[in-house]
Amino acid sequence: MLNFELYNPTNLVFGKGQMQKIATLVPKGAKVLLAYGGGSIFKNGVHEQVIKSLEGFEVIEFGGIEPNPHFETLMKAVAIIQTQKIDFILAVGGGSVIDGVKFMSAAAHFDGNPIDILQKRILLADVSKVVPFGTVLTLPATGSEMNSGSVVTIEATQEKLAFGGSAMFPKFSICDPTVIASLPKRQIQNGIVDAYTHVLEQYLTYPHDGFLQDRLAESILQTLIEIGPKVVENPTDYALASNYMWSCTMALNGLIQKGVPSDWATHMIGHELTALYGIDHARTLAIIAPNLYTVMFETKKGKLAQYGKRVFQLTGSDEAIAQEAIAKTVAFFHTMGMDTKLSNYTNDYLKTADFIEKRFIERGWLGLGEKQNITPEKVKAIVEMSY
């Protein structure tokens, strides 16, 4: 097992009725910026619950954070934080809102041009230089409620870039599974596939001696396969909803990544598809992942075979099991309502592979993946196979 440090200071508050604890979790006397997305929290009653819990606090609201939050929008919130001298930010929404709030937190007191946080992938470690924040999760998917990562889109340059650091953990996150009852099916489908692919990024590398980590990862995958189709149809079932929400958090709160190699090339390629075509994040992962496993088959074959045996109970030769495991993954994505070809989403795809290859070269991303052997040339092959 590889050396590691495990640090996660987020206070996760899970279960029914936990929003009433907001007042005890936000620092007393704080001036709060309440940040949210397109307004669904008004329809499902979450906004009302949050405002009621914040009685006695001075609250300024900022709405309109996009799916795949835009740098340009977030900078408007940063200006409010600076002029209004905001002490605490409360993100109410899914991963996009939480990621956006992480950028606000980092940018408000950043010494320099805030766009550098994204373009230079700066790691924020000094908690005294960021605005503290908490979250109320309304859409399980990204795990952003219990990790220190964020992804933000720069609309002007059509880039979707990640940043993070130990100062970017939420102080607390309230996770009430009952909020998913009002979510559209598409968003729940996306959440399941997003979490599933998060696990694969940390699991589908090569055989190693992180035995416990593998078993933890496999248990999350099996849980998502079991409950995924059911929770889409029955989001008011609390057992399904709670396991869905907790699986999404566990998929990317840092635990299963410790002591083992990880990949993340699927995400880096997928981000380009979102930036270029506005495709839902989870759906870009479903497009790219199977083709990445195919192009990188020889280096991932051992772990693909383990995945096939343990998660899908496949039998036969390792070669055959590994191939079938990819097919089973595609079939699960289809079960979860994913189209898995880029041409399902846009007609303007024929030069996509060339564009992404060139962009990765210009950024100096010359070797991605757990072995740094996913070259720009292989990225091009993966994207072309995804057409």
Side-chain angles (χ1 to χ4, degrees):
M1 188 179 293
L2 305 175
N3 293 350
F4 68 89
E5 294 183 16
L6 177 59
Y7 172 76
N8 194 320
T10 300
N11 177 18
L12 196 84
V13 184
F14 190 96
K16 298 177 183 178
Q18 299 285 34
M19 284 184 220
Q20 63 187 2
K21 295 182 179 178
I22 292 174
T24 66
L25 297 168
V26 174
K28 290 183 179 179
K31 189 173 184 179
V32 179
L33 182 74
L34 176 61
Y36 47 84
S40 62
I41 63 170
F42 291 93
K43 299 174 185 176
N44 60 18
V46 171
H47 180 270
E48 182 180 358
Q49 292 181 65
V50 171
I51 289 296
K52 183 176 181 180
S53 298
L54 286 172
E55 286 181 0
F57 290 90
E58 184 177 356
V59 179
I60 296 173
E61 299 189 30
F62 182 86
I65 299 173
E66 305 89 351
N68 308 298
H70 291 178
F71 164 81
E72 293 83 355
T73 300
L74 302 178
M75 287 304 298
K76 296 176 183 177
V78 169
I80 294 171
I81 293 168
Q82 292 169 336
T83 57
Q84 296 292 329
K85 295 181 170 54
I86 296 294
D87 302 306
F88 194 88
I89 313 171
L90 184 63
V92 182
S96 291
V97 172
I98 298 170
D99 279 10
V101 163
K102 288 178 181 178
F103 180 79
M104 297 175 198
S105 168
H109 303 313
F110 183 70
D111 185 15
N113 188 340
I115 204 167
D116 288 345
I117 296 171
L118 303 174
Q119 293 183 333
K120 296 182 179 180
R121 303 180 76 185
I122 291 174
L123 296 176
L124 288 299
D126 188 346
V127 294
S128 70
K129 294 184 178 180
V130 303
V131 181
F133 63 95
T135 88
V136 177
L137 182 66
T138 62
L139 172 57
T142 70
S144 194
E145 68 276 3
M146 200 181 178
N147 66 41
S148 60
S150 171
V151 184
V152 171
T153 296
I154 305 174
E155 187 177 19
T157 57
Q158 289 188 299
E159 294 178 282
K160 186 175 177 181
L161 300 171
F163 78 100
S166 58
M168 291 287 96
F169 283 101
K171 296 297 183 182
F172 66 83
S173 286
I174 295 175
C175 300
D176 181 346
T178 63
V179 300
I180 78 158
S182 61
L183 292 177
K185 287 184 179 182
R186 183 185 181 94
Q187 290 188 325
I188 299 177
Q189 290 170 332
N190 285 352
I192 293 288
V193 171
D194 197 4
Y196 194 91
T197 315
H198 285 159
V199 178
L200 293 183
E201 293 274 43
Q202 300 164 91
Y203 172 78
L204 270 185
T205 56
Y206 52 83
H208 52 73
D209 57 4
F211 307 137
L212 177 59
Q213 301 302 78
D214 276 359
R215 294 295 189 186
L216 291 171
E218 289 155 2
S219 69
I220 299 171
L221 295 172
Q222 289 174 315
T223 301
L224 291 170
I225 290 170
E226 178 183 352
I227 68 169
K230 298 175 185 177
V231 74
V232 169
E233 298 302 326
N234 301 288
T236 59
D237 184 310
Y238 188 75
L240 295 173
S242 57
N243 280 281
Y244 160 44
M245 183 172 275
W246 184 226
S247 291
C248 290
T249 300
M250 284 293 292
L252 200 57
N253 66 1
L255 179 59
I256 65 171
Q257 190 171 359
K258 298 304 178 183
V260 301
S262 58
D263 186 345
W264 297 110
T266 293
H267 272 69
M268 296 174 82
I269 300 169
H271 287 165
E272 299 302 316
L273 301 184
T274 297
L276 291 170
Y277 304 117
I279 304 169
D280 298 2
H281 171 60
R283 291 165 194 266
T284 71
L285 303 180
I287 291 167
I288 295 298
N291 299 298
L292 185 145
Y293 305 146
T294 300
V295 171
M296 304 306 298
F297 185 78
E298 288 305 317
T299 59
K300 290 183 177 287
K301 181 167 60 177
K303 206 58 178 288
L304 280 164
Q306 178 181 307
Y307 168 55
K309 292 172 188 175
R310 293 186 180 180
V311 175
F312 296 112
Q313 292 76 51
L314 301 177
T315 59
S317 69
D318 281 1
E319 181 95 10
I321 291 172
Q323 293 283 6
E324 182 63 15
I326 298 173
K328 286 283 189 181
T329 303
V330 174
F332 175 63
F333 290 164
H334 289 167
T335 298
M336 295 311 306
M338 302 289 114
D339 290 318
T340 53
K341 292 298 179 183
L342 184 56
S343 55
N344 295 136
Y345 299 92
T346 177
N347 293 322
D348 186 25
Y349 59 82
L350 290 177
K351 295 183 179 180
T352 306
D354 291 323
F355 179 86
I356 294 175
E357 179 190 29
K358 181 180 178 183
R359 176 171 268 186
F360 281 22
I361 292 171
E362 290 172 347
R363 290 177 182 162
W365 295 1
L366 304 181
L368 307 179
E370 67 273 13
K371 292 186 176 181
Q372 293 80 57
N373 60 348
I374 303 178
T375 62
E377 183 181 10
K378 289 179 179 174
V379 168
K380 179 179 179 180
I382 291 163
V383 177
E384 286 180 336
M385 190 176 288
S386 303
Y387 286 172

